[in-house]
Amino acid sequence: MSSAVLGQDTRAVGRGRPGVRLNLTPGSTLGLGVAMLWFSLLVLIPLAAIVATAGKDGVHGYVEVLENPQTWAAIKLTVGQSALVTLLNVVMGTLIAWVLVRDRFWGRGLLDVLIDIPFAMPTIVTGLVLLGLYGPQSPLGVNVANQRASVTLALAFVTLPFIVRTVQPVLAELDADVEEAAASLGARRLTILRRLVLPSLVPAITAGAALSFARAISEYGSLVLISGNLPYKTQVVSVRVSSFIEGGDQTSAAALATIMLAVALFVIVMLDIIQRRVARRG
Amino acid sequence: MTHRHRIIALTAAAVVVPAVLAGCGSSSGSSSGKVSVVGFSVLKTANTPVIADFQKTSAGKGVTFSQSYGASGDQSRAVIGGLPTDEVHLSLQPDVDNIVKAGLVDSTWDQTPTKGMLTDSEVVFVVRKGNPLGIRGWDDLTKSGVKLVTPNPASSGGAKWDLLAAWAHGEGTSGGDPQGQAFVTKMLGNAVALPDSASDALASFLAGNGNVLLAYESDAIAARAAGDDIDYVVPDDTLLIQNPVALTKDASTAAKDFLKFQLSTAGQADYARSGFRPVIEGTSVDVPGANDPSNAYPAVPTQYTIDKTFGGWDKANAYFDDSTGAIAKILSGLHVGG
Amino acid sequence: MVELSAPVKWALRLIAVGYVLMLVGWPMVTLAQNAFSDGLTNFTSAFSDPDVVHAMVLTIEISGWAVAINTVFGVGMALLLVRYEFPGKRVLSALVDLPMAVSPVVIGLALLLVYNGRTGWFGPTLEANGVQVMFAMPAMIMATCFVSLPLVVREVVPVLTEIGDDQEQAARSLGASATQTLRRITLPAIKWAVVYGVVLTFARSIGEYGALKIVSGNLSGQTQNAPLVIAQLYDNFAKGEAYAVAFTLVLLAVLCIVIVSLLRPKESSS
């Protein structure tokens, strides 16, 4: 697997360059077509239905939703907390992936197993368990119930697997030869990490970060119990969408959902741009 | 007729005749009856003995049931969205009215002796075991030191009962809207959590949040029967919770028989044992979990109802309208915890 | 490989282990405690109800479908995005992540708007032709695919990017067909990324609640999956049973991860 064998250019950025891209062949065009058909039926058309419903009141509908002070506060809280947790995950996720791949110690296997559990836990159970441990009856005396920190906690729980699991396989694939060569040439550990390892991980980190942010802004079930659902303080956007639906206002619910979709797309695109910048610089 | 034609005719007959007979059979409501029930969350437990007892009767023999339970609003929207059902049994009338508007239930559904209601309950205060704060009535909820938990009516239709009860108390015998508003504002000033459903509110309370929870008597009784360490207080003046039931336009005959059973003494006794106040006279059963199991449903001295106190659900719902509702305004002006 | 100094190594270990234990480990212990609060009573009580057993089986069935569909879609999409060039590629890449950003309530509403049999865009036509989407398996599988759609793609894309296409180019220049290259070179190279993606997809699928609550109709013993049955048990004051089923669900996910860990070669690549 070593690129040195094929006499390729191994620059500091690693072999993260994707290589020559092909134009579509008939086979791959068919594949793309089938994939797009499924994607449309599953995602694009239903989301279009949401945007269409949102548009029933025109721009006025969107403005009304944004002007509602509870909704605006929920948007600020949700986006802010999701960004915070994503940053937390970038650091902790990479760190944990490193420990899982590059380190050996007793209990590492157990750590590996724990990582995916947040995905499998139904959100109601997560909510109950977090409330029991980090609420008024916390055995450790740590009570974040009904406070902003509870939102951070619940979001950190449900987004834990993302960056860890996207970075792990990449880290495992990294060619050790390159690092050893650099080390034998006298490069310090920090330099090797900064110039060789980290840039190779950037695509994986940004991929995980995009998913982490996306999941965080849409989270509902695990938050709602421990956060106390207090307007202006701990009420997230998903609850506002639910409230609009409960109140029979499908248009506002769809408008708010569309706004959040736009926010998510924006962040995803931003992360993609960041990833390209870093890949180009190396 | 040729040989082949005879075979075709016989085969056709062999298929069509039993089908017709089966069709006749089910429309006379006998052994091949099916009933689908869509109900609000806590009815799962309550309906189990009712269905079992119905299946012991001659009308219910061999009838199979399909059941779906969830939040009242969600269930209402599911039925409107095409979830096939014979009967809906929901938390509050507006959820049924929406199904009527969608054309799936006849507008005469509530022209019954019980005005379309199947089970009742009361808005009560759930407190810690032993009632350490000595909560007796609504005014106690405005005292300092009270930490209130109540579900948010914006997220849960069923939560409307709790705040309407509070408003009704505020209005009192002579007061009007301003008094109602003043009281609810004062009371909500003590709120520490506004969970998105009654079930979450109870979970929050059991996990140690707050010291008073606004809840339904039926939930309180069921929770105590299941072993939860709580007490409940029925104030002297409170709102009657009335859960509507309606059959869809194409409900099966078995469903009509089932509804008759649910409204009978036997059915109502089963619901009473599960914590719901009967809507008919003459049932007297022991209710595990009630404050006094042998006298579980004492009459409430001052009984508010949606019809008498608010003039119907249309007027009551107006309090929660996002832009003009008085209670909605109080909630959106609430800055709990600073 | 970069060898970190011992104190740094230990610091990293402590932080990683501490974080994961406090965030996930301890909640798991609590879940187990609640599930086993009465010995095995909660379990026997819960699983003696045929509706609960049906819910577990249904969950695995739906998740199996979602994993299969999303894996095919995920690997295919990853290959298209990394190895090929076509107009709209970057837009598609951004859109693939989007499903994860959609709140479960909105997913349910979106699918309902399109596929509901009374007023939906496609629903009435489909149902007239005998295809029941809403409140049946198709909608449940679709909702589950929706919530886990990007997972396989996002596992495979970074690895495909990282390994480069040197070997694939070499194979092509040696005369291998596209299928041969795919089967012999590409797929084995991304094997572990796909496996991670599958495990994540399965875990996410068995735990889905919000969207399924809306599209399934929550019919006991028919369209109720495990998370829905857990919620129903809890709402009906059967807490112990709810925790028992939840524990079983998590155990299922853990089993998958353990099997994968055991199958992995013990030595890290050197």
Side-chain angles (χ1 to χ4, degrees):
Chain A
M1 193 97 80
S2 167
S3 57
V5 171
L6 290 169
Q8 295 280 353
D9 177 22
T10 50
R11 291 176 300 161
V13 76
R15 293 152 318 124
R17 48 175 182 69
V20 174
R21 288 218 183 85
L22 306 167
N23 285 323
L24 288 177
T25 64
S28 47
T29 311
L30 181 65
L32 182 63
V34 171
M36 283 312 294
L37 181 65
W38 169 245
F39 193 58
S40 301
L41 285 175
L42 182 67
V43 178
L44 294 180
I45 295 176
L47 289 184
I50 293 284
V51 178
T53 310
K56 283 205 188 122
D57 276 348
V59 180
H60 172 72
Y62 284 96
V63 171
E64 228 183 72
V65 165
L66 287 171
E67 276 179 347
N68 180 316
Q70 279 191 71
T71 310
W72 181 239
I75 294 177
K76 279 195 299 186
L77 173 73
T78 308
V79 174
Q81 287 289 326
S82 304
L84 179 66
V85 164
T86 302
L87 282 170
L88 176 67
N89 280 336
V90 166
V91 172
M92 289 307 302
T94 314
L95 194 157
I96 294 171
W98 178 276
V99 169
L100 284 175
V101 175
R102 291 278 176 105
D103 201 350
R104 298 211 125 22
F105 56 91
W106 183 88
R108 190 185 65 144
L110 177 64
L111 197 72
D112 201 17
V113 165
L114 287 175
I115 301 288
D116 286 331
I117 286 180
F119 269 13
M121 283 259 271
T123 48
I124 6 129
V125 182
T126 306
L128 284 168
V129 174
L130 286 179
L131 180 62
L133 289 184
Y134 295 105
Q137 291 168 346
S138 164
L140 275 187
V142 176
N143 180 6
V144 294
N146 311 328
Q147 296 168 48
R148 288 252 162 93
S150 66
V151 177
T152 321
L153 174 68
L155 290 179
F157 182 92
V158 298
T159 54
L160 176 70
F162 285 115
I163 293 185
V164 176
R165 290 306 191 211
T166 47
V167 169
Q168 238 180 316
V170 176
L171 205 50
E173 284 295 335
L174 276 190
D175 197 349
D177 300 348
V178 179
E179 292 170 50
E180 284 173 19
S184 67
L185 286 173
R188 287 170 46 236
R189 277 189 296 234
L190 206 55
T191 317
I192 299 176
L193 281 173
R194 212 162 47 84
R195 292 289 218 72
L196 285 183
V197 179
L198 235 41
S200 299
L201 298 181
V202 163
I205 294 178
T206 49
L211 291 178
S212 166
F213 183 82
R215 177 71 201 272
I217 61 172
S218 64
E219 184 52 32
Y220 175 86
S222 41
L223 278 176
V224 87
L225 199 50
I226 195 174
S227 70
N229 202 26
L230 299 167
Y232 308 109
K233 197 162 160 211
T234 58
Q235 197 176 61
V236 294
V237 169
S238 314
V239 175
R240 294 301 301 157
V241 174
S242 255
S243 300
F244 283 129
I245 293 178
E246 183 69 35
D249 192 354
Q250 242 185 28
T251 314
S252 297
L256 185 53
T258 311
I259 292 170
M260 294 314 285
L261 281 176
V263 170
L265 260 175
F266 176 75
V267 170
I268 291 168
V269 168
M270 276 299 114
L271 284 170
D272 186 46
I273 293 178
I274 292 176
Q275 185 233 313
R276 275 163 212 281
R277 285 274 158 80
V278 173
R280 217 179 300 153
R281 245 193 318 116
Chain B
M1 211 188 269
T2 65
H3 182 67
R4 199 200 300 171
H5 285 166
R6 216 175 295 157
I7 292 183
I8 294 175
L10 280 172
T11 316
V15 169
V16 167
V17 171
V20 169
L21 285 179
C24 291
S26 60
S27 70
S28 71
S30 64
S31 53
S32 56
K34 280 181 23 205
V35 179
S36 351
V37 171
V38 164
F40 60 97
S41 323
V42 299
L43 285 180
K44 173 85 168 95
T45 330
N47 269 351
T48 309
V50 177
I51 291 174
D53 284 342
F54 173 66
Q55 288 170 325
K56 292 193 199 122
T57 68
S58 55
K61 230 195 187 80
V63 173
T64 53
F65 277 80
S66 161
Q67 304 170 63
S68 167
Y69 300 103
S72 185
D74 288 344
Q75 297 296 75
S76 172
R77 283 184 290 276
V79 173
I80 294 171
L83 180 64
T85 187
D86 295 312
E87 173 183 294
V88 290
H89 181 185
L90 300 176
S91 250
L92 63 166
Q93 190 175 313
D95 286 337
V96 176
D97 289 337
N98 286 337
I99 305 178
V100 176
K101 274 195 211 119
L104 295 166
V105 164
D106 215 53
S107 54
T108 58
W109 68 278
D110 55 348
Q111 287 165 19
T112 71
T114 60
K115 296 253 193 67
M117 302 302 155
L118 182 55
T119 48
D120 281 351
S121 193
E122 304 277 352
V123 176
V124 302
F125 313 139
V126 171
V127 294
R128 303 284 170 207
K129 196 104 189 133
N131 195 0
L133 264 69
I135 306 284
R136 287 272 156 257
W138 288 97
D139 291 328
D140 292 336
L141 298 183
T142 57
K143 293 206 188 114
S144 74
V146 165
K147 293 192 274 194
L148 185 70
V149 175
T150 181
N152 193 329
S155 320
S156 153
K160 291 177 184 168
W161 292 110
D162 301 320
L163 291 183
L164 286 172
W167 188 282
H169 168 80
E171 281 189 351
T173 43
S174 50
D177 270 354
Q179 281 79 5
Q181 183 158 347
F183 178 75
V184 173
T185 310
K186 197 151 179 238
M187 185 190 78
L188 285 178
N190 275 339
V192 292
L194 297 168
D196 65 328
S197 69
S199 174
D200 278 354
L202 181 62
S204 182
F205 184 77
L206 289 171
N209 276 317
N211 44 34
V212 183
L213 165 72
L214 292 184
Y216 311 169
E217 186 186 47
S218 46
D219 285 350
I221 290 176
R224 290 179 89 235
D228 283 336
D229 219 13
I230 50 166
D231 276 336
Y232 69 96
V233 174
V234 185
D236 283 341
D237 63 325
T238 190
L239 181 63
L240 181 69
I241 295 172
Q242 297 166 288
N243 309 129
V245 67
L247 294 177
T248 53
K249 283 185 179 162
D250 52 359
S252 64
T253 317
K256 297 189 182 119
D257 292 334
F258 181 57
L259 181 56
K260 276 204 210 95
F261 180 79
Q262 287 173 298
L263 286 165
S264 71
T265 322
Q268 289 287 305
D270 280 332
Y271 281 122
R273 254 177 244 115
S274 296
F276 291 94
R277 294 196 172 211
V279 294
I280 61 169
E281 299 294 322
T283 49
S284 171
V285 291
D286 273 5
V287 182
N291 279 339
D292 180 1
S294 52
N295 178 22
Y297 305 122
V300 172
T302 311
Q303 180 78 89
Y304 307 126
T305 66
I306 295 291
D307 283 337
K308 273 197 327 233
T309 318
F310 293 96
W313 261 109
D314 283 338
K315 299 221 181 78
N317 245 342
Y319 287 104
F320 298 98
D321 182 275
D322 228 14
S323 28
T324 56
I327 297 185
K329 278 215 191 84
I330 299 175
L331 284 165
S332 71
L334 208 59
H335 287 254
V336 177
Chain C
M1 266 214 299
V2 171
E3 268 303 312
L4 297 175
S5 66
V8 174
K9 208 194 277 205
W10 272 99
L12 289 184
R13 270 184 213 169
L14 233 62
I15 297 174
V17 171
Y19 187 74
V20 175
L21 277 186
M22 289 311 290
L23 198 56
V24 182
W26 196 29
M28 284 308 105
V29 168
T30 311
L31 175 62
Q33 279 175 333
N34 290 339
F36 290 97
S37 61
D38 221 359
L40 283 179
T41 325
N42 291 333
F43 288 87
T44 47
S45 169
F47 288 100
S48 61
D49 183 350
D51 286 349
V52 173
V53 176
H54 181 271
M56 288 298 300
V57 172
L58 185 66
T59 306
I60 298 174
E61 202 185 324
I62 297 174
S63 305
W65 278 105
V67 164
I69 296 173
N70 275 350
T71 305
V72 171
F73 178 83
V75 173
M77 193 55 89
L79 285 168
L80 284 166
L81 288 174
V82 179
R83 293 280 182 262
Y84 290 91
E85 202 54 59
F86 53 88
K89 191 173 79 148
R90 287 178 66 173
V91 174
L92 185 59
S93 177
L95 287 177
V96 162
D97 277 339
L98 206 57
M100 200 126 270
V102 187
S103 170
V105 169
V106 178
I107 299 174
L109 179 64
L111 290 174
L112 197 65
L113 284 171
V114 177
Y115 296 104
N116 97 59
R118 290 183 60 244
T119 55
W121 290 9
F122 299 159
T125 324
L126 284 170
E127 280 185 27
N129 286 307
V131 179
Q132 173 77 25
V133 174
M134 241 16 220
F135 312 123
M137 273 300 264
M140 297 199 287
I141 295 175
M142 287 177 81
T144 310
C145 283
F146 196 109
V147 300
S148 51
L149 191 93
L151 291 172
V152 174
V153 180
R154 290 305 167 208
E155 285 294 324
V156 173
V157 163
V159 173
L160 265 182
T161 314
E162 170 53 34
I163 60 177
D165 65 347
D166 316 326
Q167 290 195 311
E168 290 163 29
Q169 280 187 44
R172 258 189 301 273
S173 62
L174 286 171
S177 75
T179 331
Q180 281 175 318
T181 318
L182 185 70
R183 236 178 6 102
R184 298 280 198 84
I185 312 272
T186 321
L187 288 182
I190 57 171
K191 181 168 63 160
W192 289 113
V194 172
V195 168
Y196 276 122
V198 162
V199 171
L200 282 179
T201 306
F202 184 73
R204 181 73 184 85
S205 301
I206 61 176
E208 177 49 31
Y209 171 69
L212 279 188
K213 188 166 67 140
I214 300 177
V215 307
S216 71
N218 208 5
L219 294 157
S220 304
Q222 292 173 64
T223 61
Q224 217 177 25
N225 74 345
L228 286 170
V229 101
I230 292 171
Q232 188 173 282
L233 284 167
Y234 195 85
D235 284 344
N236 280 273
F237 309 101
K239 273 201 286 263
E241 284 86 338
Y243 282 119
V245 181
F247 180 83
T248 312
L249 207 61
V250 170
L251 196 64
L252 196 59
V254 166
L255 231 64
C256 279
I257 306 165
V258 165
I259 293 174
V260 165
S261 306
L262 289 175
L263 288 176
R264 282 201 62 187
K266 284 304 177 188
E267 264 44 64
S268 69
S269 50
S270 51

